[in-house]
Amino acid sequence: MKNTFILSGMSCASCTEHIRKAAASVEGVSDASVNLASELLTVHSNGDDKILSQIEQTIADAGYLAKRITDNRKVTISIGGMSCASCAKSIEGALSQMDGVILATVNFATERLTVEYDPEKVRLGMIKQRIIDNGYKPLESEKGDGEDEQKRKDHDTRVLKRKFTVSALFTIPLFYLAMAPMITWFSVPFPDFLMPMTNPLNYALVQLGLVIPVIVAGHRFYSGGVKAIIHRSPNMDSLVAMGTSAAFIYSLFSVSRIVAGDSSAADHLYFETAAVIITLVMLGKLMESSAKRRTSGAIKKLMRLAPQTATLVQNGKEAVVHVHEVEVGDIIVVKPGEKIAVDGVITEGQTSIDESMLTGESIPVERGSGDAIYAATINGNGSIHFRATKVGEDTALSAIIRLVEEAQGSKAPVALLGDIISGYFVPAVFIIALVSSVAWFVSGVPFTFSLTIFISVLLIACPCALGLATPTAIMVGTGKGAEKGILIKSGEALEVAHKIDSVVFDKTGTITEGKPRVTDIAIVDGGDQDLLLQIAASAEKKSEHPLGNAIVNEAESRGLQLLKVAGFSAVTGHGIEAVIDSKKVLLGNLKFMREKSIYVNELADKSENFAIEAKTPVYVAVDGSLYGIVAVADTIKAGSREAVNSLNKLGIDVIMITGDNSATANAVARQAGISNVLSEVLPQDKSEAIEKLQNGGKVVAMVGDGINDAPALARADVGIAIGSGTDVAIESADIVLIRGDVRDVVTAIRLSRRTMRTIKQNLFWAFGYNVLGIPVAAGLLFLFGGPLLNPMIAAGAMSMSSVSVVTNALRLKRFR
């Protein structure tokens, strides 16, 4: 059982290891891990209250405080009104101060808050009210399936597009009106009644009339920005509001001077600056919104896979119902070409099913009575009836969507740097803008010059790019992984995966198929292979042994008719005695043959070769004489050797771990191209083997079937579970490979490396943009004889910085 404790008193990474070891030392704890960023301890134990209390006491004795999280609730809420990463940081800070809130994380790219809280201390309504009090809006989804949220985002995009259109329609003539009189090197049409030299008041009032609709269209910058300032958490809207308000108010002052008779004030109107800034920022937001929507394409694709209706069989009649009305136990009929509505088990019929959406394999698989089938897969050429076993949120498809959503909403540790900086960034920009403009004014430049400096600094320094740098790349990276059947559970797993330098593979079911099959048949001179297999399969038909089942399956696949067995006796650990066609048949291992005085030297060389190749020889004797040997082995998967070679090329050490004896383990390792083998390791000791590698400075990924390897998967830096996506222990692993193809381990690591490279590029450009942009806006170039940055150019550059970061993340969509 997994239990989580919230920690306090930690100061660095060494604290986490100290706490982890303290928790792991408690008897009954099978595994313990500590997350420094979230200050959480996770332990796996039998769930006994005495053990959990002992863990708290042991950690207290170590100098820290651990409090068990009991019956906490975790919810995801869409947030409206955010404009930049500072908004996300503000919401996190406000909620984290509430008593009972364990963890609050806001993803600016997805506009979602994930909050974990204790319902006994705080109510969800109180959390939402705190969000409202801080100037943001918690949004509800009526259906809970993403449709409402998508419609809302589509509506918001349409509204933004409409406001941008209005803003642009008024800004273009305003910009022309402001600029045309300045263009003296060639004639441009301009009405006489608006000439600033002869009719300054007309010139000013028309500009005022044109700028007001633009300010109304961009009112969200003012309402959101002012609220953020009131709550002492200024954001991007605050920067835009301050900058444009300064230009607008100063222009109003110039209009009042014109009215008072000072016609020279017409040269100091900056209405077009405010209008162009608002229009450019809205254009940037529109482009950013469009790009962000493309980053969540994987979720949309998965949601579109789900069918909307199902055909129920009730009282012998068929009825088409909405898929939400299907209940567990219902019988559903699926005709050729239709999608399967929910997860279930076939009760009648035979067909082929396209499971590519689940496994990535394009070749349809044969399915018949008793076989499991999954929602959104496509029925082939047969009509089937099946009984629903999982519906709604419990289906495999829903689990995959939920996993991808959680991953896209999570934060990688590298994002913490951007979050910390964003929290202090906007106030710092205000100070820089004020200090630089005052410094210039004191130096003797005109007030309009210092005002330009103030506005330019406010506008060019936007934290949006910092806030988008990491989450957009994670969204695209995890989405791309989902398309390839690789489910990455969190941003943290995606980040850590790029550091992996050692991969430990479990043998059975991971490197090998996990299903023994007949590989070779050796017979004594004069014998018949099919007859040998027929005799062996007939004797093994009543056996429950996996090797026996492999022999029976091979005989059936060859179309051999099994013979009647008159007598049957199983000798545990040795073999089988049976009577077939009045002949005494012995079938078993070498020790069994020797006990029954069967001479086996004729096939001794064959038997030795089988053992070297990790194949188990099953001897068959008829009436006291050896007839032949059936070799059975758990063969390696088709892609195992290729995966190992690819990992070696990436500079990653590959290790195989197994409970098998060293001879068998080394034989399988040779076939897979693995040189480092840990054999005869008990399941409970695999976790210790992983820890030893970690203590040696290795960043370790453990690849297993996700069930008996759970402790090792949890112990590893990255646990990778091989499985179909339904019977795998998702709790234990950080990454799930739905197709069960070990080559996807290589793909997952390459995807992680590519994603982290993209994140680092984004952060570099986001930081670099601000490091270079702010001094330029503050007049550094002008100080050395260069140009002064125009506020309109600053606004355009600010908008494009965010767009460039998202566009760079979108390049991950081309990952192959």
Side-chain angles (χ1 to χ4, degrees), residues 88-279:
K89 189 67 179 175
S90 172
I91 296 169
E92 288 178 349
L95 295 183
S96 297
Q97 294 171 8
M98 296 182 71
D99 184 31
V101 172
I102 309 301
L103 190 65
T105 305
V106 178
N107 188 311
F108 173 54
T110 59
E111 298 177 339
R112 286 184 174 186
L113 157 71
T114 300
V115 60
E116 186 175 347
Y117 64 95
D118 183 352
E120 293 182 4
K121 293 185 177 179
V122 64
R123 308 291 296 178
L124 182 58
M126 295 164 64
I127 292 172
K128 290 181 177 179
Q129 188 58 49
R130 177 63 67 93
I131 295 169
I132 294 169
D133 291 343
N134 276 268
Y136 305 96
K137 186 178 179 183
L139 304 173
E140 303 289 348
S141 177
E142 294 172 5
K143 296 180 181 178
D145 58 3
E147 286 184 25
D148 266 11
E149 186 173 345
Q150 191 57 51
K151 287 179 181 178
R152 183 167 55 245
K153 286 184 177 181
D154 290 342
H155 172 73
D156 290 345
T157 301
R158 286 194 300 269
V159 170
L160 182 57
K161 188 179 294 183
R162 194 160 56 242
K163 288 183 176 181
F164 165 72
T165 303
V166 170
S167 181
L169 286 174
F170 285 93
T171 297
I172 291 170
L174 174 57
F175 185 74
Y176 179 84
L177 190 63
M179 295 294 112
M182 301 179 191
I183 303 173
T184 58
W185 57 89
F186 65 94
S187 179
V188 293
F190 197 84
D192 289 335
F193 77 96
L194 290 178
M195 289 298 288
M197 288 76 73
T198 56
N199 294 290
L201 186 57
N202 292 349
Y203 178 70
L205 292 177
V206 170
Q207 285 197 39
L208 177 60
L210 288 170
V211 77
I212 288 174
V214 179
I215 290 175
V216 171
H219 72 88
R220 55 154 285 185
F221 297 119
Y222 301 96
S223 59
V226 172
K227 280 181 181 177
I229 292 172
I230 291 171
H231 291 102
R232 290 179 294 178
S233 56
N235 55 25
M236 188 208 80
D237 286 350
S238 305
L239 296 178
V240 174
M242 288 288 288
T244 55
S245 294
F248 181 76
I249 292 169
Y250 183 74
S251 298
L252 283 179
F253 172 68
S254 296
V255 172
S256 69
R257 286 172 59 198
I258 293 171
V259 172
D262 183 2
S263 60
S264 65
D267 295 332
H268 301 293
L269 296 175
Y270 291 92
F271 289 127
E272 85 286 351
T273 300
V276 171
I277 287 169
I278 291 171
T279 304

Side-chain angles (χ1 to χ4, degrees), residues 63-84:
Y64 305 93
L65 182 65
K67 183 180 180 184
R68 181 158 52 109
I69 299 174
T70 56
D71 298 324
N72 287 336
R73 188 181 175 198
K74 190 175 183 180
V75 297
T76 300
I77 305 169
S78 294
I79 303 292
M82 291 196 298
S83 63
C84 65

Side-chain angles (χ1 to χ4, degrees), residues 536-553:
S538 300
E540 289 282 13
K541 184 65 177 176
K542 293 185 178 181
S543 169
E544 296 296 327
H545 198 281
L547 298 184
N549 292 338
I551 293 171
V552 173
N553 291 337

Side-chain angles (χ1 to χ4, degrees), residues 407-461:
Q408 292 191 341
S410 67
K411 287 188 178 181
V414 72
L416 295 175
L417 178 62
D419 285 349
I420 292 169
I421 291 173
S422 295
Y424 298 100
F425 189 79
V426 177
V429 169
F430 273 121
I431 295 170
I432 293 170
L434 189 61
V435 170
S436 57
S437 63
V438 169
W440 276 107
F441 185 69
V442 170
S443 71
V445 301
F447 176 73
T448 53
F449 184 97
S450 59
L451 178 65
T452 300
I453 294 289
F454 179 73
I455 297 171
S456 295
V457 172
L458 288 181
L459 294 176
I460 201 165

Side-chain angles (χ1 to χ4, degrees), residues 476-534:
V476 180
T478 52
K480 194 66 184 178
E483 289 177 16
K484 294 181 174 292
I486 302 168
L487 299 185
I488 303 167
K489 287 183 66 176
S490 66
E492 183 176 2
L494 187 65
E495 178 177 343
V496 175
H498 92 283
K499 302 176 185 176
I500 291 169
D501 54 25
S502 299
V503 175
V504 179
F505 284 99
D506 176 47
K507 179 181 81 71
T508 305
T510 304
I511 291 292
T512 67
E513 294 286 355
K515 297 176 182 177
R517 67 179 184 86
V518 174
T519 58
D520 302 271
I521 297 175
I523 55 172
V524 175
D525 291 342
D528 179 86
Q529 279 196 3
D530 282 352
L531 179 59
L532 170 64
L533 188 60
Q534 187 180 35

Side-chain angles (χ1 to χ4, degrees), residues 345-351 353 366-373 384:
V345 175
I346 297 176
T347 57
E348 183 183 325
Q350 189 86 15
T351 189
I353 294 179
E366 296 298 317
R367 293 286 182 256
S369 183
D371 288 335
I373 56 177
I384 57 170

